[in-house]
Amino acid sequence: MSTIDRRDFLSRLALATAAFSIPPYAFSSVHKPEEFVEVEITHGKIRGIRSDGVAIFKGIPYAGKVSGDRRFRQPAPLESWTGVRDALQLGAPAIQSPRRNEPAPAEDCLFLNVWTPANDNKKRPVMFYSHGGGFVIGSGGSAGQDGTNLARNFDVVVVETNHRLGLLGFLYLDEVAGAGYAGSGNMGMLDIVEGLKWVKENIAQFGGDPGNVMIWGESGGGAKTSCLYAMPAAAPYFNKASIESGPGVRMTTKEIAAETTAMLLKELNIAPKDWRKLLEVPASDLLTMQGKLPFVPPFIEKNKNLGAMRRNYGGFGPVVDGKVLPAHPFDPTAPQISRNKPLLVGWNEDEYTFFAWERKDTEFATLDFNGLQKRLEPQYGGDTKKIIDAYRKANPNASAANIFVAISSITMMGLGSVDIAEKKVKQQGAPVYLYNFGYKSEKKIPGTDYPMGTPHAMDISFKFNNEIPPRDGSEPKESFFGGNKKERFVASHHFAELWTTFARTGKPAAKEVPEWPAYTLENRPTMRIDTTCEVINNRFSQELAMWRSIGKL
């Protein structure tokens, strides 16, 4: 396998996550209804189910159509309905390849799901989750992020949306299509804002507090959360945020987005003045065309020499258009608009092992230190020896494979997370809390004896408290990434309790977990989340000093 740098890993993140289809035995999102529950919301009555102490509503429309003459534009107003509308099945996900156990993808995809302990007018914190999958795949109905256990065990309301993705959600047409398509490069983000507006208007009917809403998300969902944190349109609708393994420090510039649009029009043989022909191209053809263009990563680096955006990015993701997204979310500073909103940010210790699993990379596990040097040189050039030396000094007992995973993992998701924490602290506003998730799965990467450890995406099932013993007392099944060890249930409870307490109060806390101090530039405390949690000051201090010295942080 050839060496792949951080940019390439992240630009392929959507493909990797697309391959990550959780087998049905791993998590069950099928619930036997004990009774039906009816709720009246702004546009009519809906019917959900009550199962195992949780009321569940799926496929609720939160905005109108985005197909036809609404393609690339704000959704049409949602039309009211008469009678009682069933909210028993997931709604269509955004246009993408078919998804396991979900409806066929469709352009009109603006549906959301709600999990609540009860529709009882109690003011519970609302946890509004944005799914991962880069900016091109995923849905609010993925089994691993089922909100049942989080709602039942921690007395919160969970909301997850489907929203436009890829070309249909982020094609920048502002410069060719005029005022009617203003904000076109951020329609996928504005859909999420429509979901937040729906929460403001309706969540009290589900026992949630519209005045206490936490936005959170992992991978691409973390980057979406970074954008929401910086968007004026989203500001009135949430109170705190968590950015997990997807630090959206920078997004696509208008200039690069315009180049991507020009590339697309050329590929379709459409002159810019005839851009309206895009409205007639079948969505399936647009999906095929989307696959020919690069993917946008959850965050974009600066060129350390030019101080400018690298120009080899294309694809479709949020655009810094100066209006919907006024500036890069965390560059050059944390967004002033969210100065007083508490923030969680962090990453998994072994992010890279997910990508090794997905790409069938077994070579890394056999590296010696000479091989490590050769593997990293194409990416880091003259800095390679300095990087390896710093890691060997900080981790004297680590193997070459261990050091490769550590370097790859921190450069993918860690440096951006630290950058966000530091910039948030410098605002001197609401606190920011930095974490590492570190529970170690014993499962081996196929073709190697190297354990998965804490791979990218493993945190999803843990923080949703979906790593728990079966309620019927039967023997637990193996977790897809988390393995067989029963200690994972303790780590999952810690993770979920920390996050739900943060949603409730703005400060993460849990029983049997040390007090988690806010991040400061003096002590740099990091909470390591595991079966036993611990606060580590100045974690990775030697490694981070080295990354700063070569301009990577």
Side-chain angles (χ1 to χ4, degrees), residues 297-372:
F299 62 91
I300 296 173
E301 290 182 306
K302 264 189 176 179
N303 183 305
K304 68 177 181 179
N305 297 318
L306 300 178
M309 296 290 294
R310 296 181 187 264
R311 299 197 63 77
N312 58 346
Y313 285 103
F316 303 99
V319 178
V320 183
D321 60 6
K323 295 176 183 177
V324 176
L325 187 57
H328 293 292
F330 287 91
D331 184 40
T333 62
Q336 182 64 24
I337 197 169
S338 291
R339 181 178 183 272
N340 296 318
K341 296 179 179 181
L343 181 65
L344 281 170
V345 63
W347 75 99
N348 297 353
E349 288 179 351
D350 306 302
E351 300 272 1
Y352 176 77
T353 58
F354 170 95
F355 298 92
W357 164 79
E358 183 271 330
R359 303 193 75 247
K360 299 179 172 59
D361 174 18
T362 59
E363 178 195 341
F364 86 92
T366 65
L367 290 172
D368 58 19
F369 284 103
N370 287 331
L372 177 64

Side-chain angles (χ1 to χ4, degrees), residues 102-116:
E102 295 188 34
E107 274 198 75
D108 290 316
C109 61
L110 304 189
F111 301 97
L112 57 76
N113 311 310
V114 179
W115 293 262
T116 180

Side-chain angles (χ1 to χ4, degrees), residues 14 27 98 155 160 171 173 175 213 225 300 348 373 393 398 494:
F27 308 104
D155 199 34
E160 301 177 21
L171 179 63
L173 293 172
E175 295 174 16
V213 177
T225 303
I300 296 173
N348 297 353
Q373 175 92 14
K393 183 178 179 182
H494 288 333

Side-chain angles (χ1 to χ4, degrees), residues 68-389:
D69 63 351
R70 288 284 174 167
R71 183 182 277 183
F72 311 124
R73 297 173 62 200
Q74 290 274 31
L78 181 61
E79 296 181 4
S80 298
W81 56 86
T82 57
V84 181
R85 178 181 179 127
D86 280 343
L88 307 174
Q89 304 291 333
L90 295 172
I95 291 292
Q96 59 191 288
S97 298
R99 297 180 57 78
R100 185 192 297 270
N101 298 326
E102 295 188 34
E107 274 198 75
D108 290 316
C109 61
L110 304 189
F111 301 97
L112 57 76
N113 311 310
V114 179
W115 293 262
T116 180
N119 301 72
D120 56 4
N121 297 315
K122 184 177 176 181
K123 287 194 170 185
R124 298 177 178 85
V126 180
M127 300 183 71
F128 185 101
Y129 188 75
S130 291
H131 66 75
F135 301 108
V136 295
I137 62 128
S139 83
S142 299
Q145 65 197 40
D146 182 278
T148 302
N149 292 331
L150 208 57
R152 178 201 303 111
N153 297 337
F154 297 95
D155 199 34
V156 297
V157 178
V158 180
V159 181
E160 301 177 21
T161 68
N162 295 349
H163 41 270
R164 280 175 283 182
L165 299 169
L167 192 157
L168 289 163
F170 299 101
L171 179 63
Y172 180 66
L173 293 172
D174 293 36
E175 295 174 16
V176 297
Y181 289 80
S184 55
N186 289 300
M187 282 299 137
M189 294 305 310
L190 290 171
D191 290 346
I192 300 175
V193 173
E194 289 296 317
L196 285 166
K197 290 180 182 177
W198 183 95
V199 165
K200 185 75 170 180
E201 295 171 353
N202 293 286
I203 208 65
Q205 301 299 107
F206 297 84
D209 182 357
N212 188 14
V213 177
M214 170 183 167
I215 56 172
W216 58 315
E218 179 270 348
S219 194
K224 293 167 192 173
T225 303
S226 291
C227 290
L228 292 169
Y229 202 71
M231 287 172 57
Y237 304 112
F238 73 92
N239 311 89
K240 53 189 75 74
S242 175
I243 299 166
E244 302 141 15
S245 293
V249 175
R250 302 171 191 91
M251 291 293 130
T252 303
T253 64
K254 288 191 296 183
E255 293 75 18
I256 292 175
E259 289 176 9
T260 302
T261 301
M263 188 189 313
L264 173 71
L265 292 171
K266 183 177 180 180
E267 287 287 326
L268 291 170
N269 199 26
I270 296 174
K273 65 182 177 59
D274 297 325
W275 66 269
R276 284 189 174 276
K277 290 183 179 179
L278 286 170
L279 304 180
E280 302 165 9
V281 178
S284 58
D285 291 351
L286 292 178
L287 181 63
T288 299
M289 188 59 60
Q290 173 183 301
K292 296 179 179 180
L293 297 172
F295 289 106
V296 172
F299 62 91
I300 296 173
E301 290 182 306
K302 264 189 176 179
N303 183 305
K304 68 177 181 179
N305 297 318
L306 300 178
M309 296 290 294
R310 296 181 187 264
R311 299 197 63 77
N312 58 346
Y313 285 103
F316 303 99
V319 178
V320 183
D321 60 6
K323 295 176 183 177
V324 176
L325 187 57
H328 293 292
F330 287 91
D331 184 40
T333 62
Q336 182 64 24
I337 197 169
S338 291
R339 181 178 183 272
N340 296 318
K341 296 179 179 181
L343 181 65
L344 281 170
V345 63
W347 75 99
N348 297 353
E349 288 179 351
D350 306 302
E351 300 272 1
Y352 176 77
T353 58
F354 170 95
F355 298 92
W357 164 79
E358 183 271 330
R359 303 193 75 247
K360 299 179 172 59
D361 174 18
T362 59
E363 178 195 341
F364 86 92
T366 65
L367 290 172
D368 58 19
F369 284 103
N370 287 331
L372 177 64
Q373 175 92 14
K374 291 176 182 176
R375 178 137 180 185
L376 294 178
E377 274 179 346
Q379 181 177 351
Y380 296 110
D383 290 325
T384 304
K385 186 176 186 304
K386 182 175 184 178
I387 293 169
I388 294 173
D389 288 348

